[in-house]
Amino acid sequence: MHPAPVDSPPRPRHPRTARATAVLAALSALLLIAVAVRWNPLMTLDVELARTAHRWAVDDPGLTRVNRVLTDWLWDPWTMRALCAVVVIWLVRRHNAWRLAMWVAATCAVGTLIQQGLKAAVGRDRPVWTDPVDSAHYAAFPSGHAMTATVVCGLILWLLHRYGAGRVLWRAACALAAVSVVGVGLTRLWLGVHWPSDVLGGWLLGALTVTVSVTAYERLTASS
């Protein structure tokens, strides 16, 4: 076996992550453009789905209360950020991984800035109902709840994989992450405070934020 030449470029450690980043970036851009220009097929679908969800919410106040508790407490963005803070502390105290801890904290903060910046730039109005079951502030796109949950859960899964979590823990974490990310998006639709494309945008942009962060960190650590 002959060693590779010294000047040969290093092989990417995570080609799948790079491909996923490209796909997520393309989908996020397409959705953002469609929302910004108010593409009629998307707007029509948003209205139809939102009206159906709102009708169900009005007809089932018990389930609506459950959704309100889930979205305001369990999956609230501040709850997700608090969870991220716990993970950062764990990285520092358990592994003395200051650089990684700061990277995770910075990724969460950048995700919030992207979310708020896009809300201000797009300025999309939230759904308005004559009989609302809940209320929310600021612009609609993207969903802050969906994006924050996606970023935090994605980072936690990356860290578990990085530190070699066992099969049982890994599967449990994947299940909880999926339930949290999907669940929080559905609560926002059920409560009538977001259009479906707002939630989709939050999921896509959150996943894109994670893949970009992971790829950048892995490349930086590989070159240092």
Side-chain angles (χ1 to χ4, degrees), residues 6-117:
V6 175
D7 59 349
S8 61
R11 297 176 63 184
R13 296 180 62 188
H14 298 282
R16 291 183 180 179
T17 304
R19 287 194 293 268
T21 300
V23 172
L24 288 169
L27 293 176
S28 298
L30 288 174
L31 181 60
L32 175 59
I33 292 171
V35 170
V37 303
R38 299 184 59 82
W39 188 46
N40 190 61
L42 178 63
M43 300 298 105
T44 300
L45 181 61
D46 269 346
V47 171
E48 291 177 354
L49 294 177
R51 283 177 178 170
T52 300
H54 180 67
R55 183 172 65 251
W56 292 345
V58 171
D59 293 341
D60 195 338
L63 187 54
T64 297
R65 281 193 294 271
V66 171
N67 276 271
R68 192 178 296 119
V69 170
L70 290 173
T71 201
D72 289 343
W73 295 97
L74 184 61
W75 294 324
D76 182 78
W78 284 108
T79 304
M80 292 288 108
R81 292 173 191 135
L83 177 59
C84 186
V86 170
V87 171
V88 168
I89 294 171
W90 171 78
L91 285 170
V92 172
R93 298 194 63 177
R94 183 70 181 273
H95 298 281
N96 198 32
W98 281 93
R99 182 179 182 180
L100 180 56
M102 293 303 99
W103 191 273
V104 169
T107 301
C108 190
V110 168
T112 300
L113 291 175
I114 292 173
Q115 167 207 133
Q116 294 300 325

Side-chain angles (χ1 to χ4, degrees), residues 188-224:
R188 307 309 284 167
L189 296 179
W190 184 273
L191 295 173
V193 293
H194 274 295
W195 305 106
S197 56
D198 299 336
V199 172
L200 179 59
W203 286 336
L204 289 173
L205 289 165
L208 177 61
T209 301
V210 172
T211 58
V212 169
S213 176
V214 169
T215 302
Y217 185 84
E218 296 291 354
R219 289 182 177 176
L220 284 173
T221 54
S223 61
S224 60

